[in-house]
Amino acid sequence: MSVPGNGSAEPGVAHRLRRYLTRFESAATRFFLLGIFVVGLTAQFVTPLGDALQGKAFLGGALLSLVAYVLYDAVKEMFAHWRLTVDASLI
């Protein structure tokens, strides 16, 4: 099946998928890391949840996921700034 102006359906689908990944990757990663933080922190202080997860070191994992969240945000901002600098130097 061809797409008008493209010649084939694959480039249009690939472009659309790349656009969705770019849009939702950041939100999904942040949601995942905050979810780990909340579950770990809750499991540390709520005994039934801690027993269900069968572990004892929840606070460390929760804090590690919070640090990963902050670092992820910082790296994304740094990469965006770097990308703008490189694009500006090419012009």
Side-chain angles (χ1 to χ4, degrees):
M1 178 173 135
S2 74
V3 176
N6 254 357
S8 71
E10 287 76 28
V13 172
H15 178 69
R16 188 176 304 139
L17 181 61
R18 188 176 301 120
R19 192 176 62 206
Y20 284 130
L21 285 175
T22 303
R23 182 185 304 169
F24 295 119
E25 176 208 3
S26 181
T29 303
R30 289 178 179 166
F31 178 75
F32 180 69
L33 289 172
L34 284 176
I36 291 172
F37 173 72
V38 169
V39 168
L41 194 62
T42 305
Q44 182 70 33
F45 297 109
V46 177
T47 306
L49 182 60
D51 291 343
L53 295 176
Q54 298 177 355
K56 296 182 181 184
F58 296 114
L59 192 57
L63 292 177
L64 186 62
S65 70
L66 187 62
V67 169
Y69 177 84
V70 171
L71 286 176
Y72 177 78
D73 191 40
V75 168
K76 288 291 274 188
E77 288 178 11
M78 183 180 65
F79 182 71
H81 177 69
W82 176 77
R83 178 187 248 170
L84 288 175
T85 306
V86 169
D87 289 344
S89 68
L90 293 176
I91 295 175

